[in-house]
Amino acid sequence: PMLKEKEKHRLSKLSELIFMASREVKVLRHITWPEEVRINFFNNNCKKIPNVSYPKYNDSDLNSILDDAEQLFGVTKFDDWLRKKVVEIKKSSNLLNACGTKDFFKISSDIYGLPTTKIHDKTTKPRDLSDQFEEIINSIDSRQIMRLHSPKISSSDVVNKISKSVNTYFGEDAPKIKLVNELSAKATASSKTIKIRKDGEFDETEVKQLLNHEAYIHVATTLNGRAQKNMKILGSNYGSITKTQEGLAVFSEFITSSIDVDRMRRISDRVVAIQMSIDGADFLDVFKFFLDKNGSKNQAFESTRRVFRGGILTGGAPFTKDIVYLDGLIRVYNFFRSAIAQGKTECIQLIFSGKMDLDDIPIVHSMYKEGLVQKPKFIPPWATDLNLLICHFSFSVFLENINYDNVTKYYESLLDGVD
């Protein structure tokens, strides 16, 4: 049965309140480190574990908004879904209350998972993928990989290139591209602004990565979500949707050929570093691990900071968010594969209609049928190319039925003859 207008109005109001509550939980902003932490670390010759404290998190506004929302809940399946969102948002608020303690790690693992969390095949773990990638990379002559780098571009050129592309794609909704002095990463994005670090070194591939990852996924899904008149919650950013968001963003780099070995290695090394910290490695151990990888002190500090922000710097309790890139990539890949194999191509468009978890797809589809959710305005160019997706994934489904044990043996013996 279709929902009555009165019910739609109630659900819309409820969703809006939950959206407002979610705006009170800004995880990454709360656990960010002041610039002097980095300066002091370098002044101490990278020999002293930094001392970081976090502001006390105030959840009173969050709780009062959620108390108001509580009055509006009904008994539809859409209410059940919105209740789950409230639970997820509360988890993120508990995470911020637990900064700098062992509990921070427990809650983080619950939201983002662990390097050893199994995906849907019930055997593969993100850690397995990072180990396998490492093994393959190590078997290839590093000089060959060095040659693959595309020429360097100045950060002001990066700004021009990205501005041009986002203006064409988003029109009047395009985010502003700003060149800034202080930035922990080389680039960051919100729906209104993409910031580029002035002294960041970029090459052509990284510009393509930025466009496909930040603009065509993160910015697009935020704008699409905020444009949902009845389901404002789809414009909201909170812990549990991160896996799907980052999975989509990295998949976007893959399918557009904008990913490269350095990027893949960074994502993969983060999984290893998180596991190291879980096993007791402290800030200095992990910093050394990253420094040995690429020799850049700034990048090693940045990567180590990502692992320890919010957690305990002496080891044992990291922030596990950075496993979501690999974990999410595998899940998103398998989702697209299954959607194509079953002919459910509408779901591919709907995944971009806001910030959501893959598990939300059936209910979002029902809301779409009820007129509670609209199709997204901005869909990344590759996702509208059904030709490409159907060819890519039907081949992928076919390959899975091959017995790889025999194939591998055959080609190993064939290539053994190559000096």
PDB file of all heavy atoms in Angstrom, residues 262-292:
ATOM      1  N   ASP A 262      51.286   4.419  -6.399  1.00  0.00           N
ATOM      2  CA  ASP A 262      51.526   5.179  -5.159  1.00  0.00           C
ATOM      3  C   ASP A 262      50.254   5.290  -4.326  1.00  0.00           C
ATOM      4  O   ASP A 262      50.267   5.124  -3.116  1.00  0.00           O
ATOM      5  CB  ASP A 262      52.003   6.604  -5.481  1.00  0.00           C
ATOM      6  CG  ASP A 262      53.459   6.599  -5.918  1.00  0.00           C
ATOM      7  OD1 ASP A 262      54.121   5.564  -5.708  1.00  0.00           O
ATOM      8  OD2 ASP A 262      53.913   7.620  -6.469  1.00  0.00           O
ATOM      9  N   ARG A 263      49.165   5.589  -5.010  1.00  0.00           N
ATOM     10  CA  ARG A 263      47.881   5.756  -4.331  1.00  0.00           C
ATOM     11  C   ARG A 263      47.443   4.425  -3.698  1.00  0.00           C
ATOM     12  O   ARG A 263      47.036   4.363  -2.545  1.00  0.00           O
ATOM     13  CB  ARG A 263      46.866   6.220  -5.369  1.00  0.00           C
ATOM     14  CG  ARG A 263      45.433   6.186  -4.914  1.00  0.00           C
ATOM     15  CD  ARG A 263      45.119   7.373  -4.076  1.00  0.00           C
ATOM     16  NE  ARG A 263      43.706   7.470  -3.793  1.00  0.00           N
ATOM     17  CZ  ARG A 263      43.231   7.896  -2.647  1.00  0.00           C
ATOM     18  NH1 ARG A 263      44.046   8.249  -1.678  1.00  0.00           N
ATOM     19  NH2 ARG A 263      41.940   7.980  -2.447  1.00  0.00           N
ATOM     20  N   MET A 264      47.555   3.362  -4.486  1.00  0.00           N
ATOM     21  CA  MET A 264      47.131   2.047  -4.018  1.00  0.00           C
ATOM     22  C   MET A 264      47.999   1.629  -2.823  1.00  0.00           C
ATOM     23  O   MET A 264      47.520   1.055  -1.849  1.00  0.00           O
ATOM     24  CB  MET A 264      47.305   1.067  -5.182  1.00  0.00           C
ATOM     25  CG  MET A 264      46.593  -0.231  -5.058  1.00  0.00           C
ATOM     26  SD  MET A 264      44.820  -0.091  -4.858  1.00  0.00           S
ATOM     27  CE  MET A 264      44.477  -1.744  -4.305  1.00  0.00           C
ATOM     28  N   ARG A 265      49.280   1.970  -2.917  1.00  0.00           N
ATOM     29  CA  ARG A 265      50.205   1.604  -1.836  1.00  0.00           C
ATOM     30  C   ARG A 265      49.861   2.377  -0.563  1.00  0.00           C
ATOM     31  O   ARG A 265      49.887   1.819   0.529  1.00  0.00           O
ATOM     32  CB  ARG A 265      51.642   1.903  -2.267  1.00  0.00           C
ATOM     33  CG  ARG A 265      52.678   1.368  -1.299  1.00  0.00           C
ATOM     34  CD  ARG A 265      54.053   1.791  -1.730  1.00  0.00           C
ATOM     35  NE  ARG A 265      54.754   0.723  -2.419  1.00  0.00           N
ATOM     36  CZ  ARG A 265      55.678   0.912  -3.354  1.00  0.00           C
ATOM     37  NH1 ARG A 265      55.968   2.131  -3.731  1.00  0.00           N
ATOM     38  NH2 ARG A 265      56.293  -0.096  -3.911  1.00  0.00           N
ATOM     39  N   ARG A 266      49.520   3.660  -0.715  1.00  0.00           N
ATOM     40  CA  ARG A 266      49.148   4.463   0.463  1.00  0.00           C
ATOM     41  C   ARG A 266      47.935   3.870   1.170  1.00  0.00           C
ATOM     42  O   ARG A 266      47.910   3.727   2.382  1.00  0.00           O
ATOM     43  CB  ARG A 266      48.808   5.913   0.050  1.00  0.00           C
ATOM     44  CG  ARG A 266      50.023   6.816  -0.022  1.00  0.00           C
ATOM     45  CD  ARG A 266      49.631   8.289   0.133  1.00  0.00           C
ATOM     46  NE  ARG A 266      48.596   8.772  -0.760  1.00  0.00           N
ATOM     47  CZ  ARG A 266      48.791   9.116  -2.029  1.00  0.00           C
ATOM     48  NH1 ARG A 266      49.993   9.001  -2.571  1.00  0.00           N
ATOM     49  NH2 ARG A 266      47.800   9.564  -2.769  1.00  0.00           N
ATOM     50  N   ILE A 267      46.928   3.513   0.374  1.00  0.00           N
ATOM     51  CA  ILE A 267      45.696   2.943   0.940  1.00  0.00           C
ATOM     52  C   ILE A 267      46.012   1.619   1.637  1.00  0.00           C
ATOM     53  O   ILE A 267      45.520   1.326   2.725  1.00  0.00           O
ATOM     54  CB  ILE A 267      44.657   2.741  -0.193  1.00  0.00           C
ATOM     55  CG1 ILE A 267      44.179   4.095  -0.711  1.00  0.00           C
ATOM     56  CG2 ILE A 267      43.491   1.904   0.279  1.00  0.00           C
ATOM     57  CD1 ILE A 267      43.301   4.007  -1.947  1.00  0.00           C
ATOM     58  N   SER A 268      46.845   0.844   0.980  1.00  0.00           N
ATOM     59  CA  SER A 268      47.202  -0.476   1.485  1.00  0.00           C
ATOM     60  C   SER A 268      48.059  -0.379   2.753  1.00  0.00           C
ATOM     61  O   SER A 268      47.840  -1.097   3.739  1.00  0.00           O
ATOM     62  CB  SER A 268      47.946  -1.182   0.344  1.00  0.00           C
ATOM     63  OG  SER A 268      48.442  -2.392   0.751  1.00  0.00           O
ATOM     64  N   ASP A 269      49.019   0.555   2.752  1.00  0.00           N
ATOM     65  CA  ASP A 269      49.896   0.732   3.925  1.00  0.00           C
ATOM     66  C   ASP A 269      49.111   1.187   5.158  1.00  0.00           C
ATOM     67  O   ASP A 269      49.470   0.866   6.287  1.00  0.00           O
ATOM     68  CB  ASP A 269      50.990   1.777   3.625  1.00  0.00           C
ATOM     69  CG  ASP A 269      52.078   1.214   2.712  1.00  0.00           C
ATOM     70  OD1 ASP A 269      52.125  -0.022   2.565  1.00  0.00           O
ATOM     71  OD2 ASP A 269      52.863   2.006   2.151  1.00  0.00           O
ATOM     72  N   ARG A 270      48.053   1.961   4.925  1.00  0.00           N
ATOM     73  CA  ARG A 270      47.256   2.429   6.070  1.00  0.00           C
ATOM     74  C   ARG A 270      46.629   1.253   6.814  1.00  0.00           C
ATOM     75  O   ARG A 270      46.515   1.267   8.029  1.00  0.00           O
ATOM     76  CB  ARG A 270      46.139   3.366   5.593  1.00  0.00           C
ATOM     77  CG  ARG A 270      46.642   4.729   5.157  1.00  0.00           C
ATOM     78  CD  ARG A 270      45.493   5.503   4.527  1.00  0.00           C
ATOM     79  NE  ARG A 270      45.960   6.699   3.840  1.00  0.00           N
ATOM     80  CZ  ARG A 270      45.185   7.438   3.056  1.00  0.00           C
ATOM     81  NH1 ARG A 270      43.924   7.089   2.855  1.00  0.00           N
ATOM     82  NH2 ARG A 270      45.654   8.514   2.475  1.00  0.00           N
ATOM     83  N   VAL A 271      46.206   0.235   6.053  1.00  0.00           N
ATOM     84  CA  VAL A 271      45.603  -0.957   6.681  1.00  0.00           C
ATOM     85  C   VAL A 271      46.652  -1.660   7.547  1.00  0.00           C
ATOM     86  O   VAL A 271      46.388  -2.049   8.683  1.00  0.00           O
ATOM     87  CB  VAL A 271      45.042  -1.924   5.604  1.00  0.00           C
ATOM     88  CG1 VAL A 271      44.495  -3.189   6.236  1.00  0.00           C
ATOM     89  CG2 VAL A 271      43.952  -1.233   4.787  1.00  0.00           C
ATOM     90  N   VAL A 272      47.866  -1.795   6.993  1.00  0.00           N
ATOM     91  CA  VAL A 272      48.967  -2.435   7.724  1.00  0.00           C
ATOM     92  C   VAL A 272      49.279  -1.635   8.995  1.00  0.00           C
ATOM     93  O   VAL A 272      49.455  -2.198  10.082  1.00  0.00           O
ATOM     94  CB  VAL A 272      50.235  -2.523   6.833  1.00  0.00           C
ATOM     95  CG1 VAL A 272      51.395  -3.152   7.599  1.00  0.00           C
ATOM     96  CG2 VAL A 272      49.939  -3.330   5.568  1.00  0.00           C
ATOM     97  N   ALA A 273      49.335  -0.304   8.862  1.00  0.00           N
ATOM     98  CA  ALA A 273      49.685   0.564   9.998  1.00  0.00           C
ATOM     99  C   ALA A 273      48.636   0.474  11.115  1.00  0.00           C
ATOM    100  O   ALA A 273      48.984   0.462  12.300  1.00  0.00           O
ATOM    101  CB  ALA A 273      49.828   2.006   9.525  1.00  0.00           C
ATOM    102  N   ILE A 274      47.376   0.397  10.738  1.00  0.00           N
ATOM    103  CA  ILE A 274      46.316   0.269  11.752  1.00  0.00           C
ATOM    104  C   ILE A 274      46.481  -1.041  12.509  1.00  0.00           C
ATOM    105  O   ILE A 274      46.390  -1.080  13.732  1.00  0.00           O
ATOM    106  CB  ILE A 274      44.913   0.382  11.099  1.00  0.00           C
ATOM    107  CG1 ILE A 274      44.666   1.828  10.667  1.00  0.00           C
ATOM    108  CG2 ILE A 274      43.813  -0.076  12.054  1.00  0.00           C
ATOM    109  CD1 ILE A 274      43.457   2.026   9.774  1.00  0.00           C
ATOM    110  N   GLN A 275      46.780  -2.108  11.771  1.00  0.00           N
ATOM    111  CA  GLN A 275      46.988  -3.406  12.433  1.00  0.00           C
ATOM    112  C   GLN A 275      48.207  -3.348  13.357  1.00  0.00           C
ATOM    113  O   GLN A 275      48.186  -3.879  14.472  1.00  0.00           O
ATOM    114  CB  GLN A 275      47.145  -4.521  11.387  1.00  0.00           C
ATOM    115  CG  GLN A 275      47.181  -5.923  11.979  1.00  0.00           C
ATOM    116  CD  GLN A 275      45.902  -6.279  12.740  1.00  0.00           C
ATOM    117  OE1 GLN A 275      44.808  -6.143  12.210  1.00  0.00           O
ATOM    118  NE2 GLN A 275      46.030  -6.707  13.989  1.00  0.00           N
ATOM    119  N   MET A 276      49.269  -2.666  12.899  1.00  0.00           N
ATOM    120  CA  MET A 276      50.470  -2.520  13.741  1.00  0.00           C
ATOM    121  C   MET A 276      50.101  -1.859  15.069  1.00  0.00           C
ATOM    122  O   MET A 276      50.503  -2.300  16.146  1.00  0.00           O
ATOM    123  CB  MET A 276      51.519  -1.636  13.033  1.00  0.00           C
ATOM    124  CG  MET A 276      52.326  -2.332  11.961  1.00  0.00           C
ATOM    125  SD  MET A 276      53.344  -1.101  11.047  1.00  0.00           S
ATOM    126  CE  MET A 276      54.549  -0.622  12.310  1.00  0.00           C
ATOM    127  N   SER A 277      49.310  -0.779  14.968  1.00  0.00           N
ATOM    128  CA  SER A 277      48.932  -0.050  16.175  1.00  0.00           C
ATOM    129  C   SER A 277      48.036  -0.896  17.087  1.00  0.00           C
ATOM    130  O   SER A 277      48.191  -0.880  18.305  1.00  0.00           O
ATOM    131  CB  SER A 277      48.232   1.253  15.795  1.00  0.00           C
ATOM    132  OG  SER A 277      47.747   1.875  16.950  1.00  0.00           O
ATOM    133  N   ILE A 278      47.122  -1.651  16.490  1.00  0.00           N
ATOM    134  CA  ILE A 278      46.269  -2.553  17.290  1.00  0.00           C
ATOM    135  C   ILE A 278      47.162  -3.534  18.061  1.00  0.00           C
ATOM    136  O   ILE A 278      46.930  -3.831  19.229  1.00  0.00           O
ATOM    137  CB  ILE A 278      45.282  -3.336  16.378  1.00  0.00           C
ATOM    138  CG1 ILE A 278      44.255  -2.381  15.763  1.00  0.00           C
ATOM    139  CG2 ILE A 278      44.573  -4.453  17.152  1.00  0.00           C
ATOM    140  CD1 ILE A 278      43.390  -2.999  14.668  1.00  0.00           C
ATOM    141  N   ASP A 279      48.216  -3.997  17.378  1.00  0.00           N
ATOM    142  CA  ASP A 279      49.134  -4.968  18.005  1.00  0.00           C
ATOM    143  C   ASP A 279      50.102  -4.316  18.988  1.00  0.00           C
ATOM    144  O   ASP A 279      50.986  -4.977  19.520  1.00  0.00           O
ATOM    145  CB  ASP A 279      49.936  -5.713  16.920  1.00  0.00           C
ATOM    146  CG  ASP A 279      49.038  -6.571  16.030  1.00  0.00           C
ATOM    147  OD1 ASP A 279      47.924  -6.912  16.493  1.00  0.00           O
ATOM    148  OD2 ASP A 279      49.423  -6.871  14.883  1.00  0.00           O
ATOM    149  N   GLY A 280      49.990  -2.985  19.175  1.00  0.00           N
ATOM    150  CA  GLY A 280      50.784  -2.330  20.217  1.00  0.00           C
ATOM    151  C   GLY A 280      51.835  -1.343  19.744  1.00  0.00           C
ATOM    152  O   GLY A 280      52.490  -0.695  20.559  1.00  0.00           O
ATOM    153  N   ALA A 281      52.006  -1.193  18.421  1.00  0.00           N
ATOM    154  CA  ALA A 281      53.007  -0.230  17.930  1.00  0.00           C
ATOM    155  C   ALA A 281      52.581   1.187  18.321  1.00  0.00           C
ATOM    156  O   ALA A 281      51.401   1.525  18.271  1.00  0.00           O
ATOM    157  CB  ALA A 281      53.126  -0.333  16.412  1.00  0.00           C
ATOM    158  N   ASP A 282      53.556   2.018  18.736  1.00  0.00           N
ATOM    159  CA  ASP A 282      53.219   3.391  19.110  1.00  0.00           C
ATOM    160  C   ASP A 282      53.423   4.348  17.931  1.00  0.00           C
ATOM    161  O   ASP A 282      53.789   3.921  16.832  1.00  0.00           O
ATOM    162  CB  ASP A 282      54.011   3.835  20.359  1.00  0.00           C
ATOM    163  CG  ASP A 282      55.512   3.949  20.093  1.00  0.00           C
ATOM    164  OD1 ASP A 282      55.932   4.006  18.913  1.00  0.00           O
ATOM    165  OD2 ASP A 282      56.277   3.985  21.077  1.00  0.00           O
ATOM    166  N   PHE A 283      53.208   5.639  18.187  1.00  0.00           N
ATOM    167  CA  PHE A 283      53.297   6.648  17.135  1.00  0.00           C
ATOM    168  C   PHE A 283      54.651   6.613  16.423  1.00  0.00           C
ATOM    169  O   PHE A 283      54.739   6.704  15.197  1.00  0.00           O
ATOM    170  CB  PHE A 283      53.051   8.037  17.737  1.00  0.00           C
ATOM    171  CG  PHE A 283      52.922   9.121  16.706  1.00  0.00           C
ATOM    172  CD1 PHE A 283      51.681   9.451  16.178  1.00  0.00           C
ATOM    173  CD2 PHE A 283      54.038   9.818  16.241  1.00  0.00           C
ATOM    174  CE1 PHE A 283      51.549  10.444  15.207  1.00  0.00           C
ATOM    175  CE2 PHE A 283      53.921  10.814  15.275  1.00  0.00           C
ATOM    176  CZ  PHE A 283      52.668  11.121  14.760  1.00  0.00           C
ATOM    177  N   LEU A 284      55.741   6.460  17.203  1.00  0.00           N
ATOM    178  CA  LEU A 284      57.085   6.479  16.611  1.00  0.00           C
ATOM    179  C   LEU A 284      57.328   5.254  15.727  1.00  0.00           C
ATOM    180  O   LEU A 284      57.945   5.357  14.669  1.00  0.00           O
ATOM    181  CB  LEU A 284      58.158   6.554  17.711  1.00  0.00           C
ATOM    182  CG  LEU A 284      58.103   7.786  18.627  1.00  0.00           C
ATOM    183  CD1 LEU A 284      59.196   7.710  19.686  1.00  0.00           C
ATOM    184  CD2 LEU A 284      58.220   9.083  17.825  1.00  0.00           C
ATOM    185  N   ASP A 285      56.826   4.082  16.158  1.00  0.00           N
ATOM    186  CA  ASP A 285      56.985   2.847  15.356  1.00  0.00           C
ATOM    187  C   ASP A 285      56.289   3.001  14.007  1.00  0.00           C
ATOM    188  O   ASP A 285      56.843   2.652  12.956  1.00  0.00           O
ATOM    189  CB  ASP A 285      56.352   1.640  16.077  1.00  0.00           C
ATOM    190  CG  ASP A 285      57.003   1.353  17.426  1.00  0.00           C
ATOM    191  OD1 ASP A 285      58.225   1.553  17.531  1.00  0.00           O
ATOM    192  OD2 ASP A 285      56.285   0.941  18.366  1.00  0.00           O
ATOM    193  N   VAL A 286      55.073   3.532  14.056  1.00  0.00           N
ATOM    194  CA  VAL A 286      54.295   3.649  12.823  1.00  0.00           C
ATOM    195  C   VAL A 286      54.881   4.757  11.929  1.00  0.00           C
ATOM    196  O   VAL A 286      54.947   4.620  10.703  1.00  0.00           O
ATOM    197  CB  VAL A 286      52.796   3.887  13.133  1.00  0.00           C
ATOM    198  CG1 VAL A 286      52.003   4.172  11.867  1.00  0.00           C
ATOM    199  CG2 VAL A 286      52.207   2.677  13.861  1.00  0.00           C
ATOM    200  N   PHE A 287      55.368   5.823  12.553  1.00  0.00           N
ATOM    201  CA  PHE A 287      56.018   6.896  11.787  1.00  0.00           C
ATOM    202  C   PHE A 287      57.224   6.330  11.029  1.00  0.00           C
ATOM    203  O   PHE A 287      57.426   6.604   9.845  1.00  0.00           O
ATOM    204  CB  PHE A 287      56.464   8.023  12.725  1.00  0.00           C
ATOM    205  CG  PHE A 287      57.244   9.112  12.026  1.00  0.00           C
ATOM    206  CD1 PHE A 287      56.602  10.044  11.230  1.00  0.00           C
ATOM    207  CD2 PHE A 287      58.628   9.200  12.168  1.00  0.00           C
ATOM    208  CE1 PHE A 287      57.323  11.050  10.568  1.00  0.00           C
ATOM    209  CE2 PHE A 287      59.350  10.201  11.513  1.00  0.00           C
ATOM    210  CZ  PHE A 287      58.691  11.122  10.713  1.00  0.00           C
ATOM    211  N   LYS A 288      58.010   5.505  11.709  1.00  0.00           N
ATOM    212  CA  LYS A 288      59.193   4.900  11.085  1.00  0.00           C
ATOM    213  C   LYS A 288      58.771   3.983   9.929  1.00  0.00           C
ATOM    214  O   LYS A 288      59.382   3.970   8.857  1.00  0.00           O
ATOM    215  CB  LYS A 288      59.993   4.112  12.122  1.00  0.00           C
ATOM    216  CG  LYS A 288      61.306   3.570  11.566  1.00  0.00           C
ATOM    217  CD  LYS A 288      62.112   2.840  12.622  1.00  0.00           C
ATOM    218  CE  LYS A 288      63.416   2.261  12.068  1.00  0.00           C
ATOM    219  NZ  LYS A 288      63.343   1.735  10.697  1.00  0.00           N
ATOM    220  N   PHE A 289      57.687   3.236  10.132  1.00  0.00           N
ATOM    221  CA  PHE A 289      57.158   2.356   9.084  1.00  0.00           C
ATOM    222  C   PHE A 289      56.841   3.166   7.823  1.00  0.00           C
ATOM    223  O   PHE A 289      57.254   2.817   6.719  1.00  0.00           O
ATOM    224  CB  PHE A 289      55.900   1.640   9.605  1.00  0.00           C
ATOM    225  CG  PHE A 289      55.029   1.032   8.532  1.00  0.00           C
ATOM    226  CD1 PHE A 289      55.385  -0.162   7.915  1.00  0.00           C
ATOM    227  CD2 PHE A 289      53.834   1.647   8.135  1.00  0.00           C
ATOM    228  CE1 PHE A 289      54.577  -0.728   6.919  1.00  0.00           C
ATOM    229  CE2 PHE A 289      53.022   1.091   7.147  1.00  0.00           C
ATOM    230  CZ  PHE A 289      53.397  -0.099   6.541  1.00  0.00           C
ATOM    231  N   PHE A 290      56.144   4.290   7.994  1.00  0.00           N
ATOM    232  CA  PHE A 290      55.785   5.115   6.833  1.00  0.00           C
ATOM    233  C   PHE A 290      57.008   5.817   6.233  1.00  0.00           C
ATOM    234  O   PHE A 290      57.119   5.961   5.018  1.00  0.00           O
ATOM    235  CB  PHE A 290      54.723   6.155   7.208  1.00  0.00           C
ATOM    236  CG  PHE A 290      53.324   5.602   7.258  1.00  0.00           C
ATOM    237  CD1 PHE A 290      52.590   5.626   8.436  1.00  0.00           C
ATOM    238  CD2 PHE A 290      52.734   5.061   6.127  1.00  0.00           C
ATOM    239  CE1 PHE A 290      51.287   5.131   8.485  1.00  0.00           C
ATOM    240  CE2 PHE A 290      51.435   4.558   6.159  1.00  0.00           C
ATOM    241  CZ  PHE A 290      50.717   4.591   7.344  1.00  0.00           C
ATOM    242  N   LEU A 291      57.939   6.231   7.101  1.00  0.00           N
ATOM    243  CA  LEU A 291      59.133   6.922   6.618  1.00  0.00           C
ATOM    244  C   LEU A 291      59.979   5.981   5.758  1.00  0.00           C
ATOM    245  O   LEU A 291      60.496   6.368   4.705  1.00  0.00           O
ATOM    246  CB  LEU A 291      59.953   7.450   7.801  1.00  0.00           C
ATOM    247  CG  LEU A 291      61.072   8.421   7.473  1.00  0.00           C
ATOM    248  CD1 LEU A 291      60.537   9.671   6.777  1.00  0.00           C
ATOM    249  CD2 LEU A 291      61.826   8.823   8.741  1.00  0.00           C
ATOM    250  N   ASP A 292      60.100   4.729   6.181  1.00  0.00           N
ATOM    251  CA  ASP A 292      60.847   3.732   5.396  1.00  0.00           C
ATOM    252  C   ASP A 292      60.185   3.488   4.045  1.00  0.00           C
ATOM    253  O   ASP A 292      60.841   3.114   3.078  1.00  0.00           O
ATOM    254  CB  ASP A 292      60.928   2.394   6.152  1.00  0.00           C
ATOM    255  CG  ASP A 292      61.833   2.493   7.388  1.00  0.00           C
ATOM    256  OD1 ASP A 292      62.587   3.498   7.470  1.00  0.00           O
ATOM    257  OD2 ASP A 292      61.779   1.608   8.261  1.00  0.00           O
TER     258      ASP A 292
END
